[in-house]
PDB file of all heavy atoms in Angstrom:
ATOM      1  N   THR A   1     169.832 114.594 116.134  1.00 68.00           N
ATOM      2  CA  THR A   1     171.300 114.683 116.010  1.00 68.00           C
ATOM      3  C   THR A   1     171.901 116.022 116.175  1.00 68.00           C
ATOM      4  O   THR A   1     172.989 116.191 116.612  1.00 68.00           O
ATOM      5  CB  THR A   1     171.599 114.328 114.367  1.00 68.00           C
ATOM      6  OG1 THR A   1     170.830 115.218 113.606  1.00 68.00           O
ATOM      7  CG2 THR A   1     171.203 112.901 114.116  1.00 68.00           C
ATOM      8  N   GLU A   2     171.045 117.034 116.064  1.00 70.00           N
ATOM      9  CA  GLU A   2     171.552 118.270 116.341  1.00 70.00           C
ATOM     10  C   GLU A   2     171.861 118.570 117.898  1.00 70.00           C
ATOM     11  O   GLU A   2     172.820 118.996 118.260  1.00 70.00           O
ATOM     12  CB  GLU A   2     170.530 119.318 115.926  1.00 70.00           C
ATOM     13  CG  GLU A   2     170.345 119.516 114.487  1.00 70.00           C
ATOM     14  CD  GLU A   2     169.279 120.518 114.023  1.00 70.00           C
ATOM     15  OE1 GLU A   2     168.835 121.252 115.069  1.00 70.00           O
ATOM     16  OE2 GLU A   2     168.917 120.669 112.927  1.00 70.00           O
ATOM     17  N   ARG A   3     170.871 117.974 118.665  1.00 67.00           N
ATOM     18  CA  ARG A   3     171.145 118.166 120.269  1.00 67.00           C
ATOM     19  C   ARG A   3     172.061 117.145 120.718  1.00 67.00           C
ATOM     20  O   ARG A   3     172.515 117.139 121.805  1.00 67.00           O
ATOM     21  CB  ARG A   3     169.763 118.211 120.902  1.00 67.00           C
ATOM     22  CG  ARG A   3     168.994 119.410 120.557  1.00 67.00           C
ATOM     23  CD  ARG A   3     167.760 119.551 121.627  1.00 67.00           C
ATOM     24  NE  ARG A   3     166.985 120.698 121.246  1.00 67.00           N
ATOM     25  CZ  ARG A   3     165.795 120.999 121.924  1.00 67.00           C
ATOM     26  NH1 ARG A   3     165.458 120.227 122.975  1.00 67.00           N
ATOM     27  NH2 ARG A   3     165.101 122.130 121.670  1.00 67.00           N
ATOM     28  N   LEU A   4     172.329 115.929 119.853  1.00 66.00           N
ATOM     29  CA  LEU A   4     173.159 114.906 120.323  1.00 66.00           C
ATOM     30  C   LEU A   4     174.473 115.358 120.440  1.00 66.00           C
ATOM     31  O   LEU A   4     175.288 114.961 121.264  1.00 66.00           O
ATOM     32  CB  LEU A   4     173.000 113.702 119.354  1.00 66.00           C
ATOM     33  CG  LEU A   4     173.834 112.478 119.843  1.00 66.00           C
ATOM     34  CD1 LEU A   4     173.409 111.996 121.084  1.00 66.00           C
ATOM     35  CD2 LEU A   4     173.767 111.441 118.681  1.00 66.00           C
ATOM     36  N   ALA A   5     174.881 116.405 119.497  1.00 66.00           N
ATOM     37  CA  ALA A   5     176.243 116.970 119.583  1.00 66.00           C
ATOM     38  C   ALA A   5     176.540 117.531 120.877  1.00 66.00           C
ATOM     39  O   ALA A   5     177.605 117.565 121.468  1.00 66.00           O
ATOM     40  CB  ALA A   5     176.464 118.012 118.451  1.00 66.00           C
ATOM     41  N   ASP A   6     175.455 118.284 121.414  1.00 67.00           N
ATOM     42  CA  ASP A   6     175.624 118.972 122.797  1.00 67.00           C
ATOM     43  C   ASP A   6     175.780 117.869 123.912  1.00 67.00           C
ATOM     44  O   ASP A   6     176.629 118.095 124.735  1.00 67.00           O
ATOM     45  CB  ASP A   6     174.421 119.742 122.992  1.00 67.00           C
ATOM     46  CG  ASP A   6     174.263 120.941 122.048  1.00 67.00           C
ATOM     47  OD1 ASP A   6     175.190 121.376 121.398  1.00 67.00           O
ATOM     48  OD2 ASP A   6     173.122 121.445 121.771  1.00 67.00           O
ATOM     49  N   THR A   7     175.116 116.737 123.741  1.00 65.00           N
ATOM     50  CA  THR A   7     175.244 115.722 124.654  1.00 65.00           C
ATOM     51  C   THR A   7     176.763 115.150 124.741  1.00 65.00           C
ATOM     52  O   THR A   7     177.317 114.870 125.727  1.00 65.00           O
ATOM     53  CB  THR A   7     174.205 114.591 124.470  1.00 65.00           C
ATOM     54  OG1 THR A   7     172.856 115.115 124.550  1.00 65.00           O
ATOM     55  CG2 THR A   7     174.367 113.494 125.397  1.00 65.00           C
ATOM     56  N   ILE A   8     177.177 114.930 123.463  1.00 64.00           N
ATOM     57  CA  ILE A   8     178.531 114.334 123.291  1.00 64.00           C
ATOM     58  C   ILE A   8     179.600 115.453 123.945  1.00 64.00           C
ATOM     59  O   ILE A   8     180.490 114.986 124.570  1.00 64.00           O
ATOM     60  CB  ILE A   8     178.815 114.008 121.852  1.00 64.00           C
ATOM     61  CG1 ILE A   8     177.783 112.993 121.279  1.00 64.00           C
ATOM     62  CG2 ILE A   8     180.296 113.682 121.639  1.00 64.00           C
ATOM     63  CD1 ILE A   8     178.021 112.695 119.837  1.00 64.00           C
ATOM     64  N   ALA A   9     179.354 116.571 123.516  1.00 65.00           N
ATOM     65  CA  ALA A   9     180.431 117.545 124.126  1.00 65.00           C
ATOM     66  C   ALA A   9     180.139 117.679 125.593  1.00 65.00           C
ATOM     67  O   ALA A   9     181.253 117.846 126.348  1.00 65.00           O
ATOM     68  CB  ALA A   9     179.931 119.050 123.576  1.00 65.00           C
ATOM     69  N   ALA A  10     179.100 117.437 126.167  1.00 64.00           N
ATOM     70  CA  ALA A  10     178.903 117.460 127.627  1.00 64.00           C
ATOM     71  C   ALA A  10     179.617 116.249 128.229  1.00 64.00           C
ATOM     72  O   ALA A  10     180.308 116.331 129.297  1.00 64.00           O
ATOM     73  CB  ALA A  10     177.462 117.461 128.004  1.00 64.00           C
ATOM     74  N   LEU A  11     179.398 115.167 127.582  1.00 61.00           N
ATOM     75  CA  LEU A  11     180.162 113.908 128.010  1.00 61.00           C
ATOM     76  C   LEU A  11     181.576 114.126 127.863  1.00 61.00           C
ATOM     77  O   LEU A  11     182.383 113.592 128.841  1.00 61.00           O
ATOM     78  CB  LEU A  11     179.731 112.788 127.187  1.00 61.00           C
ATOM     79  CG  LEU A  11     178.369 112.249 127.514  1.00 61.00           C
ATOM     80  CD1 LEU A  11     177.924 111.171 126.487  1.00 61.00           C
ATOM     81  CD2 LEU A  11     178.193 111.624 129.063  1.00 61.00           C
ATOM     82  N   ALA A  12     182.058 114.770 126.873  1.00 61.00           N
ATOM     83  CA  ALA A  12     183.480 114.990 126.604  1.00 61.00           C
ATOM     84  C   ALA A  12     184.077 115.896 127.843  1.00 61.00           C
ATOM     85  O   ALA A  12     185.128 115.579 128.353  1.00 61.00           O
ATOM     86  CB  ALA A  12     183.903 115.574 125.385  1.00 61.00           C
ATOM     87  N   ARG A  13     183.214 116.955 128.175  1.00 60.00           N
ATOM     88  CA  ARG A  13     183.756 117.916 129.182  1.00 60.00           C
ATOM     89  C   ARG A  13     183.811 117.124 130.450  1.00 60.00           C
ATOM     90  O   ARG A  13     184.727 117.305 131.288  1.00 60.00           O
ATOM     91  CB  ARG A  13     182.825 119.005 129.259  1.00 60.00           C
ATOM     92  CG  ARG A  13     183.064 120.024 128.079  1.00 60.00           C
ATOM     93  CD  ARG A  13     182.314 121.278 128.277  1.00 60.00           C
ATOM     94  NE  ARG A  13     180.922 121.093 128.315  1.00 60.00           N
ATOM     95  CZ  ARG A  13     180.034 121.189 127.399  1.00 60.00           C
ATOM     96  NH1 ARG A  13     180.473 121.475 126.208  1.00 60.00           N
ATOM     97  NH2 ARG A  13     178.738 121.025 127.657  1.00 60.00           N
ATOM     98  N   GLN A  14     182.841 116.184 130.659  1.00 59.00           N
ATOM     99  CA  GLN A  14     182.713 115.434 131.874  1.00 59.00           C
ATOM    100  C   GLN A  14     183.897 114.468 132.066  1.00 59.00           C
ATOM    101  O   GLN A  14     184.485 114.349 133.092  1.00 59.00           O
ATOM    102  CB  GLN A  14     181.377 114.607 132.011  1.00 59.00           C
ATOM    103  CG  GLN A  14     181.255 113.952 133.318  1.00 59.00           C
ATOM    104  CD  GLN A  14     179.967 113.277 133.372  1.00 59.00           C
ATOM    105  OE1 GLN A  14     178.967 113.864 132.769  1.00 59.00           O
ATOM    106  NE2 GLN A  14     179.730 112.381 134.379  1.00 59.00           N
ATOM    107  N   GLU A  15     184.225 113.975 130.815  1.00 54.00           N
ATOM    108  CA  GLU A  15     185.468 112.963 130.802  1.00 54.00           C
ATOM    109  C   GLU A  15     186.696 113.684 131.198  1.00 54.00           C
ATOM    110  O   GLU A  15     187.568 113.331 131.912  1.00 54.00           O
ATOM    111  CB  GLU A  15     185.568 112.224 129.584  1.00 54.00           C
ATOM    112  CG  GLU A  15     186.627 111.232 129.448  1.00 54.00           C
ATOM    113  CD  GLU A  15     186.518 110.054 130.391  1.00 54.00           C
ATOM    114  OE1 GLU A  15     185.257 109.775 130.684  1.00 54.00           O
ATOM    115  OE2 GLU A  15     187.416 109.372 130.709  1.00 54.00           O
ATOM    116  N   VAL A  16     186.915 114.833 130.507  1.00 49.00           N
ATOM    117  CA  VAL A  16     188.142 115.658 130.739  1.00 49.00           C
ATOM    118  C   VAL A  16     188.165 116.148 132.274  1.00 49.00           C
ATOM    119  O   VAL A  16     189.338 115.987 132.884  1.00 49.00           O
ATOM    120  CB  VAL A  16     188.072 116.929 129.793  1.00 49.00           C
ATOM    121  CG1 VAL A  16     189.289 117.812 130.309  1.00 49.00           C
ATOM    122  CG2 VAL A  16     188.492 116.515 128.367  1.00 49.00           C
ATOM    123  N   LYS A  17     187.027 116.495 132.779  1.00 52.00           N
ATOM    124  CA  LYS A  17     186.970 116.948 134.144  1.00 52.00           C
ATOM    125  C   LYS A  17     187.422 115.765 135.085  1.00 52.00           C
ATOM    126  O   LYS A  17     188.130 115.913 136.097  1.00 52.00           O
ATOM    127  CB  LYS A  17     185.552 117.478 134.518  1.00 52.00           C
ATOM    128  CG  LYS A  17     185.448 117.840 135.881  1.00 52.00           C
ATOM    129  CD  LYS A  17     183.984 118.350 136.188  1.00 52.00           C
ATOM    130  CE  LYS A  17     183.806 118.759 137.582  1.00 52.00           C
ATOM    131  NZ  LYS A  17     182.373 119.228 137.957  1.00 52.00           N
ATOM    132  N   LYS A  18     186.925 114.505 134.813  1.00 54.00           N
ATOM    133  CA  LYS A  18     187.222 113.385 135.591  1.00 54.00           C
ATOM    134  C   LYS A  18     188.771 113.139 135.672  1.00 54.00           C
ATOM    135  O   LYS A  18     189.435 112.908 136.575  1.00 54.00           O
ATOM    136  CB  LYS A  18     186.510 112.215 135.256  1.00 54.00           C
ATOM    137  CG  LYS A  18     185.093 112.223 135.478  1.00 54.00           C
ATOM    138  CD  LYS A  18     184.312 110.948 135.149  1.00 54.00           C
ATOM    139  CE  LYS A  18     184.886 109.740 135.814  1.00 54.00           C
ATOM    140  NZ  LYS A  18     184.161 108.507 135.432  1.00 54.00           N
ATOM    141  N   ARG A  19     189.316 113.182 134.354  1.00 52.00           N
ATOM    142  CA  ARG A  19     190.856 112.968 134.293  1.00 52.00           C
ATOM    143  C   ARG A  19     191.541 113.992 135.115  1.00 52.00           C
ATOM    144  O   ARG A  19     192.570 113.704 135.818  1.00 52.00           O
ATOM    145  CB  ARG A  19     191.307 112.986 132.855  1.00 52.00           C
ATOM    146  CG  ARG A  19     190.774 111.731 132.011  1.00 52.00           C
ATOM    147  CD  ARG A  19     191.121 111.877 130.517  1.00 52.00           C
ATOM    148  NE  ARG A  19     190.568 110.715 129.820  1.00 52.00           N
ATOM    149  CZ  ARG A  19     190.797 110.573 128.519  1.00 52.00           C
ATOM    150  NH1 ARG A  19     191.530 111.498 127.908  1.00 52.00           N
ATOM    151  NH2 ARG A  19     190.356 109.472 127.852  1.00 52.00           N
ATOM    152  N   VAL A  20     191.260 115.274 134.930  1.00 47.00           N
ATOM    153  CA  VAL A  20     191.847 116.297 135.770  1.00 47.00           C
ATOM    154  C   VAL A  20     191.750 116.095 137.203  1.00 47.00           C
ATOM    155  O   VAL A  20     192.713 116.162 137.901  1.00 47.00           O
ATOM    156  CB  VAL A  20     191.361 117.786 135.283  1.00 47.00           C
ATOM    157  CG1 VAL A  20     191.951 118.795 136.233  1.00 47.00           C
ATOM    158  CG2 VAL A  20     191.634 117.994 133.858  1.00 47.00           C
ATOM    159  N   GLU A  21     190.582 115.795 137.622  1.00 47.00           N
ATOM    160  CA  GLU A  21     190.350 115.549 139.077  1.00 47.00           C
ATOM    161  C   GLU A  21     191.092 114.370 139.582  1.00 47.00           C
ATOM    162  O   GLU A  21     191.664 114.223 140.594  1.00 47.00           O
ATOM    163  CB  GLU A  21     188.850 115.228 139.316  1.00 47.00           C
ATOM    164  CG  GLU A  21     188.052 116.453 139.170  1.00 47.00           C
ATOM    165  CD  GLU A  21     186.575 116.186 139.423  1.00 47.00           C
ATOM    166  OE1 GLU A  21     186.121 114.905 139.361  1.00 47.00           O
ATOM    167  OE2 GLU A  21     185.687 117.043 139.543  1.00 47.00           O
ATOM    168  N   LYS A  22     191.368 113.183 138.721  1.00 50.00           N
ATOM    169  CA  LYS A  22     192.083 112.092 139.033  1.00 50.00           C
ATOM    170  C   LYS A  22     193.563 112.459 139.181  1.00 50.00           C
ATOM    171  O   LYS A  22     194.259 112.005 140.141  1.00 50.00           O
ATOM    172  CB  LYS A  22     191.929 111.042 137.945  1.00 50.00           C
ATOM    173  CG  LYS A  22     192.582 109.665 138.325  1.00 50.00           C
ATOM    174  CD  LYS A  22     192.372 108.608 137.381  1.00 50.00           C
ATOM    175  CE  LYS A  22     192.943 107.315 137.826  1.00 50.00           C
ATOM    176  NZ  LYS A  22     192.636 106.243 136.781  1.00 50.00           N
ATOM    177  N   GLU A  23     194.048 113.213 138.285  1.00 46.00           N
ATOM    178  CA  GLU A  23     195.558 113.622 138.309  1.00 46.00           C
ATOM    179  C   GLU A  23     195.756 114.550 139.542  1.00 46.00           C
ATOM    180  O   GLU A  23     196.776 114.336 140.176  1.00 46.00           O
ATOM    181  CB  GLU A  23     195.949 114.397 136.980  1.00 46.00           C
ATOM    182  CG  GLU A  23     195.977 113.479 135.820  1.00 46.00           C
ATOM    183  CD  GLU A  23     196.348 114.319 134.617  1.00 46.00           C
ATOM    184  OE1 GLU A  23     196.697 115.468 134.634  1.00 46.00           O
ATOM    185  OE2 GLU A  23     196.372 113.716 133.432  1.00 46.00           O
ATOM    186  N   ILE A  24     194.821 115.433 139.783  1.00 42.00           N
ATOM    187  CA  ILE A  24     195.037 116.210 141.001  1.00 42.00           C
ATOM    188  C   ILE A  24     195.015 115.403 142.200  1.00 42.00           C
ATOM    189  O   ILE A  24     195.842 115.598 143.089  1.00 42.00           O
ATOM    190  CB  ILE A  24     193.948 117.419 141.026  1.00 42.00           C
ATOM    191  CG1 ILE A  24     194.146 118.283 139.931  1.00 42.00           C
ATOM    192  CG2 ILE A  24     193.802 117.975 142.397  1.00 42.00           C
ATOM    193  CD1 ILE A  24     193.024 119.254 139.812  1.00 42.00           C
ATOM    194  N   GLU A  25     194.139 114.398 142.213  1.00 49.00           N
ATOM    195  CA  GLU A  25     194.020 113.563 143.482  1.00 49.00           C
ATOM    196  C   GLU A  25     195.318 112.791 143.636  1.00 49.00           C
ATOM    197  O   GLU A  25     195.797 112.551 144.675  1.00 49.00           O
ATOM    198  CB  GLU A  25     192.886 112.675 143.238  1.00 49.00           C
ATOM    199  CG  GLU A  25     192.575 111.801 144.498  1.00 49.00           C
ATOM    200  CD  GLU A  25     191.397 110.868 144.438  1.00 49.00           C
ATOM    201  OE1 GLU A  25     190.683 111.080 143.502  1.00 49.00           O
ATOM    202  OE2 GLU A  25     191.194 110.158 145.418  1.00 49.00           O
ATOM    203  N   GLU A  26     195.943 112.288 142.400  1.00 49.00           N
ATOM    204  CA  GLU A  26     197.157 111.622 142.585  1.00 49.00           C
ATOM    205  C   GLU A  26     198.299 112.357 143.115  1.00 49.00           C
ATOM    206  O   GLU A  26     199.044 111.989 143.936  1.00 49.00           O
ATOM    207  CB  GLU A  26     197.485 110.846 141.223  1.00 49.00           C
ATOM    208  CG  GLU A  26     196.594 109.751 140.851  1.00 49.00           C
ATOM    209  CD  GLU A  26     196.931 109.303 139.452  1.00 49.00           C
ATOM    210  OE1 GLU A  26     197.726 109.802 138.658  1.00 49.00           O
ATOM    211  OE2 GLU A  26     196.302 108.313 139.019  1.00 49.00           O
ATOM    212  N   LYS A  27     198.317 113.565 142.497  1.00 42.00           N
ATOM    213  CA  LYS A  27     199.564 114.504 142.813  1.00 42.00           C
ATOM    214  C   LYS A  27     199.200 114.948 144.322  1.00 42.00           C
ATOM    215  O   LYS A  27     200.183 115.074 145.009  1.00 42.00           O
ATOM    216  CB  LYS A  27     199.623 115.679 141.956  1.00 42.00           C
ATOM    217  CG  LYS A  27     200.139 115.371 140.612  1.00 42.00           C
ATOM    218  CD  LYS A  27     200.118 116.557 139.706  1.00 42.00           C
ATOM    219  CE  LYS A  27     200.599 116.099 138.264  1.00 42.00           C
ATOM    220  NZ  LYS A  27     200.669 117.345 137.387  1.00 42.00           N
ATOM    221  N   ALA A  28     198.081 115.248 144.604  1.00 47.00           N
ATOM    222  CA  ALA A  28     197.764 115.563 146.050  1.00 47.00           C
ATOM    223  C   ALA A  28     198.123 114.360 147.065  1.00 47.00           C
ATOM    224  O   ALA A  28     198.491 114.633 148.189  1.00 47.00           O
ATOM    225  CB  ALA A  28     196.257 115.902 146.162  1.00 47.00           C
ATOM    226  N   GLY A  29     197.899 113.220 146.388  1.00 47.00           N
ATOM    227  CA  GLY A  29     198.329 112.120 147.269  1.00 47.00           C
ATOM    228  C   GLY A  29     199.740 111.921 147.654  1.00 47.00           C
ATOM    229  O   GLY A  29     200.236 111.788 148.809  1.00 47.00           O
ATOM    230  N   HIS A  30     200.625 112.256 146.611  1.00 45.00           N
ATOM    231  CA  HIS A  30     202.191 112.179 146.875  1.00 45.00           C
ATOM    232  C   HIS A  30     202.554 113.393 147.821  1.00 45.00           C
ATOM    233  O   HIS A  30     203.384 113.176 148.723  1.00 45.00           O
ATOM    234  CB  HIS A  30     202.942 112.443 145.582  1.00 45.00           C
ATOM    235  CG  HIS A  30     202.762 111.198 144.654  1.00 45.00           C
ATOM    236  ND1 HIS A  30     203.014 109.971 144.974  1.00 45.00           N
ATOM    237  CD2 HIS A  30     202.321 111.065 143.466  1.00 45.00           C
ATOM    238  CE1 HIS A  30     202.769 109.140 144.005  1.00 45.00           C
ATOM    239  NE2 HIS A  30     202.395 109.797 142.941  1.00 45.00           N
ATOM    240  N   LEU A  31     201.850 114.546 147.659  1.00 40.00           N
ATOM    241  CA  LEU A  31     202.112 115.669 148.501  1.00 40.00           C
ATOM    242  C   LEU A  31     201.769 115.334 149.949  1.00 40.00           C
ATOM    243  O   LEU A  31     202.435 115.746 150.908  1.00 40.00           O
ATOM    244  CB  LEU A  31     201.429 116.875 148.075  1.00 40.00           C
ATOM    245  CG  LEU A  31     201.586 118.199 148.810  1.00 40.00           C
ATOM    246  CD1 LEU A  31     203.144 118.510 148.930  1.00 40.00           C
ATOM    247  CD2 LEU A  31     200.784 119.267 148.189  1.00 40.00           C
ATOM    248  N   LYS A  32     200.730 114.719 150.077  1.00 44.00           N
ATOM    249  CA  LYS A  32     200.201 114.258 151.364  1.00 44.00           C
ATOM    250  C   LYS A  32     201.138 113.395 152.062  1.00 44.00           C
ATOM    251  O   LYS A  32     201.464 113.471 153.246  1.00 44.00           O
ATOM    252  CB  LYS A  32     198.840 113.737 151.223  1.00 44.00           C
ATOM    253  CG  LYS A  32     198.239 113.366 152.661  1.00 44.00           C
ATOM    254  CD  LYS A  32     196.644 112.879 152.529  1.00 44.00           C
ATOM    255  CE  LYS A  32     196.741 111.451 151.661  1.00 44.00           C
ATOM    256  NZ  LYS A  32     195.342 110.986 151.582  1.00 44.00           N
ATOM    257  N   ASP A  33     201.744 112.476 151.315  1.00 51.00           N
ATOM    258  CA  ASP A  33     202.676 111.524 151.959  1.00 51.00           C
ATOM    259  C   ASP A  33     203.916 112.120 152.419  1.00 51.00           C
ATOM    260  O   ASP A  33     204.500 111.889 153.394  1.00 51.00           O
ATOM    261  CB  ASP A  33     202.981 110.355 150.859  1.00 51.00           C
ATOM    262  CG  ASP A  33     201.715 109.518 150.684  1.00 51.00           C
ATOM    263  OD1 ASP A  33     200.790 109.461 151.521  1.00 51.00           O
ATOM    264  OD2 ASP A  33     201.788 108.845 149.554  1.00 51.00           O
ATOM    265  N   ALA A  34     204.436 113.122 151.442  1.00 42.00           N
ATOM    266  CA  ALA A  34     205.590 113.890 151.794  1.00 42.00           C
ATOM    267  C   ALA A  34     205.451 114.733 153.185  1.00 42.00           C
ATOM    268  O   ALA A  34     206.331 114.823 154.065  1.00 42.00           O
ATOM    269  CB  ALA A  34     205.996 114.934 150.706  1.00 42.00           C
ATOM    270  N   LEU A  35     204.331 115.290 153.239  1.00 39.00           N
ATOM    271  CA  LEU A  35     203.988 116.091 154.505  1.00 39.00           C
ATOM    272  C   LEU A  35     204.019 115.196 155.602  1.00 39.00           C
ATOM    273  O   LEU A  35     204.359 115.605 156.619  1.00 39.00           O
ATOM    274  CB  LEU A  35     202.663 116.869 154.252  1.00 39.00           C
ATOM    275  CG  LEU A  35     202.662 117.988 153.187  1.00 39.00           C
ATOM    276  CD1 LEU A  35     201.388 118.595 153.061  1.00 39.00           C
ATOM    277  CD2 LEU A  35     203.664 119.108 153.719  1.00 39.00           C
ATOM    278  N   LYS A  36     203.445 114.024 155.486  1.00 41.00           N
ATOM    279  CA  LYS A  36     203.340 113.139 156.662  1.00 41.00           C
ATOM    280  C   LYS A  36     204.717 112.786 157.127  1.00 41.00           C
ATOM    281  O   LYS A  36     205.103 112.803 158.321  1.00 41.00           O
ATOM    282  CB  LYS A  36     202.518 111.814 156.318  1.00 41.00           C
ATOM    283  CG  LYS A  36     200.965 112.076 156.264  1.00 41.00           C
ATOM    284  CD  LYS A  36     200.310 110.668 155.918  1.00 41.00           C
ATOM    285  CE  LYS A  36     198.853 110.913 155.781  1.00 41.00           C
ATOM    286  NZ  LYS A  36     198.198 109.585 155.464  1.00 41.00           N
TER     287      LYS A  36
END
């Protein structure tokens, strides 16, 4: 249970990272269409 908290925190950080990457990708997509 002690080290499981570290695993959960790592998963949470990974989930936040994925969401940020997804939002960046979406915004980058609109910018890409405008430039085209």
Side-chain angles (χ1 to χ4, degrees):
T1 56
E2 294 180 4
R3 294 191 179 184
L4 183 61
D6 296 334
T7 300
I8 295 174
L11 286 173
R13 287 193 297 270
Q14 185 173 339
E15 182 65 24
V16 171
K17 181 180 178 182
K18 286 183 63 178
R19 290 179 181 179
V20 171
E21 289 177 348
K22 184 176 182 181
E23 290 181 5
I24 292 174
E25 185 177 353
E26 289 178 354
K27 291 179 179 180
H30 293 305
L31 178 59
K32 182 174 65 174
D33 293 339
L35 290 173
K36 285 182 180 180

